Amino acid sequence: MNKGTRAALARSKSIDHQLDAEREKKQREIQLLVLGGAGSGKSTFIKQLRINYGDGFPELEREKFNHQVHDNVVNAINTVLDQMKTLQIPFDNEANKKKAAEFQERNPKISFISLLNQLPDDEIESTKGANCLMSTTELTKRFAYVNLKYNGLQTADIEIVLNIWEDSGVQRCYKRRAEYKGNILSNGEQYFLENMKRVLAPQYIPTLQDILYIRRPTFGVIDHYFYIDDHAYRVIDVAGQKSQRKKWIHFFEMVTSILFFVPLSEFDEYLEEDKTLNSVQDSLQTFHEVSHNQYLERTDFLLFLNKYDLFVEKLKWKRLQVCFPDYDDNNTPEACVKYIRELFHQHRPCHKHVYTHVSCATDVSIMRDILSKVLDIITEINLRKAGTF
Ligand SMILES: Nc1nc2c(ncn2[C@@H]2O[C@H](COP(=O)(O)OP(=O)(O)OP(=O)(O)O)[C@@H](O)[C@H]2O)c(=O)[nH]1
Ligand SMILES: [Mg+2]
């Protein structure tokens, strides 16, 4: 064997070795796929993992969410200003009417649905990196693709929006938000409007609570990596919007468990992308389809009945019957959640184990307890899968 052949053989052995190591690492990695409709709380759940088991969002990382908070303020104020026209509420100060119109022209509402629909169909990307959410650079790149300027609010517009917000006509319209039709203000948007002075201040750095309340739909697929108790976790976050769900199947074969999110409080709401589909009914249908998928026959599911805080509030004035006409028990959160939980369990294949958690993904202390239980369950599933249990 000449020198060149020996060197080539050594290189090939080394590549084989690397591939084996990579394969072994992949086999040991616990892979969690987080599924559920748009806005059900998937990414917020992953932020909680990062808070409890990742870097915890140090200040330098939190700063990167500044623009996302501004985007949420822009969308929220646009909604209130639009509703002033619908509800025919005048500005208290006539000059604000003109300022508001100019502000809206410069800062129109960002429609994430249309942005998602403009992304190429084969957009399946993953962002690797130590416990990181999609970087601002990556987002800027993607938004540039869909022609959205991503600069946050200009200083002059910050002053204008703060002034407009003080107008008593705008405040009256905000107080009547329960009457908004079609375009409701989300819980997070209300939070940012009520904290507007703080979040638009010059040296503002988002707090953990701010980060948990941000609404920024997931584009494509994002990988997150965590190392917890000597286990490597890959947590896969996907977009929940209907047109994006065909990408989910790409990950079915290799996952340890599916984490499925249901937005409990949306039992009287319809999908943004399809106004004929009730949100919780859609979740039930999707859960049925996914849990019966042939590639997931032996995969256990963790079901999160999420947004329980908003669910409890809504049940004070809305009956669960609007979503489930057959439901005739009392309207307490306990009875209602029990009913929904049973419905989901009826929709699973009977051999499949489904571990259920009633959650509030924006609440750090509730999620700390839930996450610890979830990780115990996942470790157990992983051991069982490896055949050592
Ligand atoms: N009050 C409350 N808000 C929640 C809860 N879970 C999520 N949210 C809010 O709901 C919004 C949507 O949450 P996301 O985590 O972005 O939803 P998603 O499932 O990742 O949505 P897509 O990426 O579009 O598929 C955010 O503004 C969160 O702050 C909850 O349990 N309670
Ligand atoms: Mg998301």
Side-chain angles (χ1 to χ4, degrees), residues 315-329:
L315 286 173
K316 290 178 184 161
W317 53 275
K318 233 340 159 352
R319 293 197 61 79
L320 186 66
Q321 239 173 8
V322 299
C323 179
F324 303 105
D326 291 346
Y327 183 72
D328 56 4
D329 206 344

Side-chain angles (χ1 to χ4, degrees), residues 124-143:
I124 297 173
E125 280 185 29
S126 56
T127 311
K128 300 210 171 199
N131 300 344
C132 71
L133 289 168
M134 184 180 281
S135 69
T136 313
T137 350
E138 179 65 14
L139 270 175
T140 314
K141 227 168 64 198
R142 287 183 181 213
F143 281 147

Side-chain angles (χ1 to χ4, degrees), residues 39-44 187 212-215 218 240 306-307 309 361:
S40 55
K42 302 181 291 297
S43 303
T44 313
N187 177 251
L212 289 167
Y213 272 127
I214 290 170
R215 174 64 181 134
T218 303
N306 192 39
K307 300 200 170 182
D309 55 331

